[in-house]
Amino acid sequence: MVQELLRSESGCENVECRACGKVGLTPILSLGETPLANRLLTDEQLSEPEPTWPLELAWCPGCALVQITETVPPETLFCDYAYFSSFSDTMVAHAKSIAKQLTEERELGEDSLVVEIASNDGYLLQWYRESGVPVLGIEPAQNIAKVASEQRGIPTISEFFGRELATQLASKCRRADIIHANNVLAHVADLNGVVAGFREMLKPSGVAVVECPYLKDLIDHVEFDTIYHEHLCYFSLTALDRLFRSHDLEIVHVEHLAIHGGSIRIHAMPTGAEPVRESVKSLLAEEAEWVDDAASYASFGQRVEHLRTELTELLRQLKADNKRVAVYGASAKGSTLLNYFGIGQDQIDYVVDRSTIKQGHYTPGTHLKIYDPGRLTEDQPDYCLLLTWNFAEEILAQQKKYRDQGGQFIIPIPEVKVA
């Protein structure tokens, strides 16, 4: 519905860019008032008022950073968290691969140090530790930091990373050969503080390895469901390059990855430490054709509306045909899709998720109960809407029995299809 799109700068004209500080952002899309995407509910909470916040996407004409305009306090979002990376085989394998690669390339050993920001349950650092490389995790969610420390033996500081913590650690000779930041920079309100912290904590030859969903993939593949309050920013290489250069760091290498629907992995080092590779120069040249042009973002919202119409019509028709539909994935992206598209208990019977932490809870806003994936083969709904579409290959393989028994998956992104 076109009326949902922001057509003027109302609400954005006084907003300050999170990276460059420019006042006045250009609106892209409004997703309305939504609950926190990872705030799963208990039985007791179902009867309580559920807080919501505006969810509006905008673009900075000063530095090209795409961002949401609302900042929910990080203590509200992350101090007790329901996402454990180790529940995804894909994520664990991805982490193992990069750890092995960097251990060899950077010749890491017992005198090295690898630090991860938002280290979750130790899914990445465990591979360095197995190779005899000292590690340090920094994870603000206390429940997850406890798992990393007690179950995996990963030394973990349960604090938010920024310039102050980096200075404290650097003063104790805790400078890093590698700082990992996987899917965390998008969550950071104080971008400048975190990037300054990288510079403070890196050794002169150290490298910050940062992964984040790639803005071009989000736009091209209509990945609007990656927009939620935890994801404050949506990065192009251009925006990252401008941000890092302002803190005496250079992006010397970039890789375009398939994970999470399309991501980039940058390698940033103190300025002059290594030559900037062709991978960076060529991608910056590609982005120069669109990244600073407001028209590049104009059709995105309209394509989201087309997707909403297509998916809700399919579910309406299935309901009319007395078909039963479940959901796979009590994910944050799933919360955005369900709430913005208005899909709830009228169309969906229940949700399944592999995470035992989520099972028994209810989805934000839509209040669908979450079960173990085994319920699919026991109950055999006709269709299952796959909201964790970024792990489609892994999940469809895991659910072979359900599919062999006649169950079908609906994959909503980048276009609605049945598998």
Side-chain angles (χ1 to χ4, degrees):
M1 297 180 181
V2 176
Q3 68 265 27
E4 293 289 336
L5 308 181
L6 289 175
R7 295 301 188 185
S8 70
E9 293 192 3
S10 176
C12 292
E13 67 270 16
N14 296 318
V15 177
E16 182 177 299
C17 175
R18 301 176 187 278
C20 72
K22 178 180 174 60
V23 176
L25 305 181
T26 301
I28 298 174
L29 173 69
S30 173
L31 296 172
E33 295 262 344
T34 71
L36 298 182
N38 272 311
R39 187 180 181 270
L40 303 179
L41 306 175
T42 62
D43 286 288
E44 294 74 22
Q45 291 172 319
L46 288 177
S47 59
E48 299 174 0
E50 191 170 6
T52 60
W53 285 264
L55 189 55
E56 300 180 350
L57 190 69
W59 167 74
C60 175
C63 68
L65 181 64
V66 172
Q67 56 204 280
I68 63 170
T69 58
E70 188 80 9
T71 302
V72 178
E75 295 80 6
T76 301
L77 292 169
F78 302 118
C79 283
D80 191 70
Y81 202 48
Y83 180 77
F84 284 73
S85 297
S86 290
F87 280 113
S88 168
D89 297 338
T90 300
M91 285 297 297
V92 174
H94 180 71
K96 184 177 183 179
S97 175
I98 187 60
K100 183 177 185 295
Q101 175 188 328
L102 291 175
T103 298
E104 294 173 355
E105 288 181 358
R106 312 301 295 190
E107 298 180 346
L108 302 178
E110 60 183 15
D111 294 327
S112 307
L113 177 64
V114 176
V115 175
E116 185 179 13
I117 311 306
S119 50
N120 205 265
D121 57 5
Y123 77 105
L124 169 60
L125 293 180
Q126 64 179 332
W127 304 116
Y128 286 106
R129 191 196 57 187
E130 283 193 8
S131 299
V133 180
V135 299
L136 175 66
I138 301 174
E139 171 52 60
Q142 296 177 9
N143 61 318
I144 299 179
K146 184 176 180 180
V147 170
S149 178
E150 295 182 0
Q151 296 184 19
R152 286 202 164 88
I154 304 296
T156 303
I157 298 172
S158 188
E159 294 185 28
F160 288 99
F161 179 81
R163 192 194 312 254
E164 182 177 350
L165 179 58
T167 300
Q168 292 174 8
L169 293 171
S171 69
K172 298 175 183 177
C173 300
R174 301 287 280 172
R175 292 187 181 272
D177 295 88
I178 295 177
I179 298 177
H180 278 285
N182 284 356
N183 300 297
V184 60
L185 204 58
H187 297 72
V188 171
D190 183 15
L191 280 176
N192 288 288
V194 168
V195 177
F198 291 161
R199 182 66 182 87
E200 182 73 21
M201 200 170 172
L202 282 174
K203 293 178 180 177
S205 60
V207 57
V209 181
V210 180
E211 290 187 24
C212 52
Y214 186 37
L215 175 64
K216 189 67 162 60
D217 290 313
L218 182 152
I219 293 172
D220 288 350
H221 303 144
V222 205
E223 296 170 1
F224 80 97
D225 56 342
T226 61
I227 302 167
Y228 44 91
H229 294 101
E230 291 174 24
H231 284 176
L232 301 174
C233 300
Y234 305 82
F235 293 105
S236 61
L237 180 61
T238 300
L240 287 169
D241 184 62
R242 292 168 180 172
L243 172 63
F244 277 70
R245 284 184 181 278
S246 70
H247 294 283
D248 196 26
L249 289 166
E250 275 185 325
I251 298 174
V252 299
H253 181 46
V254 63
E255 303 165 80
H256 191 187
L257 311 172
I259 198 164
H260 292 309
S263 300
I264 52 174
R265 177 194 289 150
I266 65 166
H267 297 233
M269 303 183 72
T271 302
E274 286 186 8
V276 176
R277 301 185 200 177
E278 183 59 32
S279 61
V280 175
K281 297 175 184 177
S282 61
L283 188 54
L284 286 175
E286 288 177 23
E287 290 186 354
E289 299 181 5
W290 60 269
V291 75
D292 287 316
D293 182 5
S296 302
Y297 311 100
S299 68
F300 175 67
Q302 294 173 336
R303 291 161 64 211
V304 172
E305 292 308 313
H306 174 76
L307 199 65
R308 174 158 70 170
T309 299
E310 189 176 5
L311 181 58
T312 54
E313 174 58 26
L314 172 61
L315 294 176
R316 186 200 65 78
Q317 186 60 54
L318 292 177
K319 188 73 172 180
D321 293 341
N322 294 316
K323 302 296 184 182
R324 298 176 58 241
V325 183
V327 159
Y328 193 111
S331 61
K333 56 166 46 72
S335 178
T336 292
L337 186 147
L338 293 176
N339 281 288
Y340 184 55
F341 281 9
I343 298 171
Q345 296 176 27
D346 289 343
Q347 301 93 346
I348 304 297
D349 290 1
Y350 54 85
V351 178
V352 300
D353 196 285
R354 195 178 178 190
S355 173
T356 54
I357 306 300
K358 298 180 180 182
Q359 292 163 15
H361 288 74
Y362 296 83
T363 54
T366 48
H367 300 176
L368 296 162
K369 191 164 186 179
I370 304 165
Y371 297 88
D372 180 274
R375 187 179 177 93
L376 290 181
T377 51
E378 296 168 1
D379 185 53
Q380 201 61 34
D382 301 287
Y383 293 87
C384 187
L385 176 61
L386 181 56
L387 297 185
T388 46
W389 51 262
N390 49 318
F391 296 121
E393 184 176 347
E394 173 186 333
I395 292 167
L396 265 61
Q398 290 171 357
Q399 294 302 318
K400 183 177 185 301
K401 183 178 179 182
Y402 166 71
R403 299 175 74 201
D404 287 346
Q405 293 177 177
Q408 298 186 81
F409 276 90
I410 302 169
I411 302 175
I413 304 288
E415 57 188 6
V416 178
K417 67 178 182 179
V418 177

